[in-house]
Amino acid sequence: MSLRHALLGLLADGPRSGYELSKTFDDGLAEYAWHASHSQIYPELRKMVADGLIEVVDEGARGRRSYATTPDGRAELRSWMMTAPAAGPVRNEAVLRLFLLSALDQPDAMRLLDAMIESCAREAERLSRSIADMDAQIEPGSGPTFGRYAAEFGYRIYQLQVDWATWARGELTNDVDHK
Amino acid sequence: MSLRHALLGLLADGPRSGYELSKTFDDGLAEYAWHASHSQIYPELRKMVADGLIEVVDEGARGRRSYATTPDGRAELRSWMMTAPAAGPVRNEAVLRLFLLSALDQPDAMRLLDAMIESCAREAERLSRSIADMDAQIEPGSGPTFGRYAAEFGYRIYQLQVDWATWARGELTNDVDHK
DNA sequence: CCGATCATGTAAATAGTTACATGATTTC
DNA sequence: GAAATCATGTAACTATTTACATGATCGG
């Protein structure tokens, strides 16, 4: 049950409301690691309270409730972080399409690879700028934030997709030349 | 509904049984792109027959049934390949744990990073050997197989994780030094 | 003939998505 | 005072996992 651990992990940084947690999924986490919608998050938070992993620490305007981890929650998170198997089942539609490339004919495959190379390159560049911004305004001595780690990962993964697709494009071209 | 398209894509290469499709998921696909168990695959194949996307082309021993794509199925696959959005929701537990690293204390984070670096490096090396094997025994003029594409992707992604984790390890170390 | 593997299935439970629903507060 | 955003929820549906279940064939 990774959603539960994702929520515990985010709350480890400090109290958050369901709404804020939902936002955090939307920027960064959902793109590379784990996606969840608010309709899944709110009920899960209730269950986690019932299970003693988190507790309500503040109630604000508009029914806002902030949650924080309990000692049990932190123990559960640590145990999961340190003992979970290295790889679990993966779901990634973009990668799936890369893998099914050979199901297309040559011109379609080329068109798709070109489109992917372009969109991944654009993303990589966007993240590269975003990283430069972050690095320009950190206070010295403080380590990278969550967002900085995520951006670094994102930059590298988009660059990888560009490189892989460029390589695959070359292989496909050679393939045709030899026929 | 990506499972359906994954199955269509695999069947585009030639007729396969549910059992074989299930095996294909297990080596390569499930690790980087999409996971599915046989208990999900068999019912889905039946639905796809009912929807006219695939058909039974052979019945062999032990109740084995081979499926092949229909023209409708190939059209559906192509349309999905060419028009699906560049990025969908992602699920990847290993990456999630990387992102939640800051929820651990320094020594635990270091231990986890070291373990990840080691296991990813081992995987990268295994794939590197596997790639060398494949490249040694291809007939000249024929393009890379599905497995070759997958292995290339896998190698690069494990290497990326090693590099990212090594970078993160350095950042964490600096962080402590400055305190 | 026995163990491994081939080959398919179903049922129950959990996880996740999509659509619907409501109302408060802030900002302009 | 209207639009945007904050903030939470539920219901129905679909997808996925886990566990149970069965039997055929192949290799030694």
Side-chain angles (χ1 to χ4, degrees):
Chain A
M1 215 191 306
S2 294
L3 172 60
R4 175 164 289 210
H5 296 111
L7 293 170
L8 276 175
L10 294 178
L11 289 176
D13 185 48
R16 303 255 191 293
S17 68
Y19 187 81
E20 286 174 305
L21 289 164
S22 180
K23 290 289 167 202
T24 307
F25 273 87
D26 287 344
D27 39 70
L29 212 53
E31 201 173 349
Y32 317 115
W34 206 265
H35 172 264
S37 57
H38 80 271
S39 62
Q40 204 188 353
I41 292 170
Y42 289 122
E44 185 63 28
L45 288 170
R46 295 197 151 199
K47 282 184 222 155
M48 290 165 73
V49 170
D51 292 345
L53 301 174
I54 59 174
E55 58 189 354
V56 176
V57 289
D58 186 46
E59 307 213 18
R62 283 174 280 193
R64 176 201 172 91
R65 247 160 296 145
S66 282
Y67 297 89
T69 56
T70 63
D72 272 8
R74 287 187 290 276
E76 170 56 31
L77 176 65
R78 179 175 185 277
S79 142
W80 177 77
M81 289 286 284
M82 301 305 284
T83 67
V90 164
R91 295 234 143 73
N92 189 326
E93 215 173 275
V95 174
L96 176 60
R97 286 203 296 159
L98 292 180
F99 275 38
L100 298 182
L101 209 65
S102 52
L104 294 175
D105 61 27
Q106 193 82 7
D108 277 350
M110 286 293 179
R111 233 172 292 150
L112 184 55
L113 280 173
D114 287 341
M116 282 175 167
I117 288 167
E118 210 217 298
S119 84
C120 288
R122 204 174 12 237
E123 279 301 296
E125 231 219 282
R126 179 180 64 81
L127 283 165
S128 163
R129 272 196 304 274
S130 163
I131 286 170
D133 283 353
M134 290 185 212
D135 287 349
Q137 60 185 23
I138 49 158
E139 320 95 78
S142 72
T145 60
F146 169 81
R148 179 65 182 81
Y149 282 108
E152 183 73 28
F153 193 88
Y155 170 72
R156 289 174 188 236
I157 212 136
Y158 280 116
Q159 195 58 56
L160 179 147
Q161 285 179 64
V162 170
D163 293 345
W164 183 91
T166 304
W167 166 81
R169 202 184 187 289
E171 295 295 320
L172 279 177
T173 310
N174 285 339
D175 191 16
V176 143
D177 290 350
H178 284 294
K179 270 180 190 153
Chain B
M1 216 192 304
S2 293
L3 171 60
R4 175 163 290 210
H5 296 111
L7 293 169
L8 277 174
L10 294 177
L11 288 175
D13 184 48
R16 302 256 192 294
S17 67
Y19 187 81
E20 286 173 306
L21 289 165
S22 180
K23 289 290 167 201
T24 307
F25 273 86
D26 286 344
D27 38 69
L29 212 53
E31 201 173 349
Y32 317 115
W34 207 265
H35 173 264
S37 58
H38 80 272
S39 63
Q40 203 189 354
I41 291 170
Y42 290 122
E44 185 62 28
L45 288 170
R46 296 196 151 199
K47 280 185 223 155
M48 290 165 74
V49 170
D51 292 345
L53 300 174
I54 60 175
E55 58 190 353
V56 177
V57 290
D58 186 45
E59 308 213 18
R62 284 174 278 193
R64 176 201 171 90
R65 248 159 296 148
S66 282
Y67 297 90
T69 55
T70 63
D72 271 9
R74 288 187 289 277
E76 169 57 30
L77 175 64
R78 178 176 185 278
S79 142
W80 177 76
M81 288 286 286
M82 301 305 285
T83 66
V90 164
R91 296 231 144 74
N92 190 326
E93 215 174 275
V95 175
L96 176 59
R97 285 202 298 159
L98 292 179
F99 276 39
L100 297 182
L101 210 65
S102 51
L104 294 174
D105 60 28
Q106 194 82 6
D108 277 350
M110 286 294 178
R111 234 173 289 150
L112 184 55
L113 280 173
D114 286 342
M116 283 174 167
I117 288 168
E118 210 217 298
S119 83
C120 288
R122 203 173 14 237
E123 279 302 296
E125 231 220 281
R126 180 180 64 80
L127 284 165
S128 164
R129 272 196 303 275
S130 161
I131 285 170
D133 285 353
M134 290 185 212
D135 287 350
Q137 59 184 23
I138 49 158
E139 319 96 78
S142 72
T145 60
F146 168 82
R148 178 66 181 79
Y149 282 108
E152 183 72 28
F153 193 87
Y155 170 72
R156 289 174 188 236
I157 213 136
Y158 280 116
Q159 196 58 56
L160 179 147
Q161 285 178 62
V162 170
D163 293 345
W164 183 91
T166 304
W167 166 81
R169 203 185 187 290
E171 295 294 322
L172 279 177
T173 310
N174 284 340
D175 192 15
V176 144
D177 290 351
H178 284 294
K179 268 179 191 155

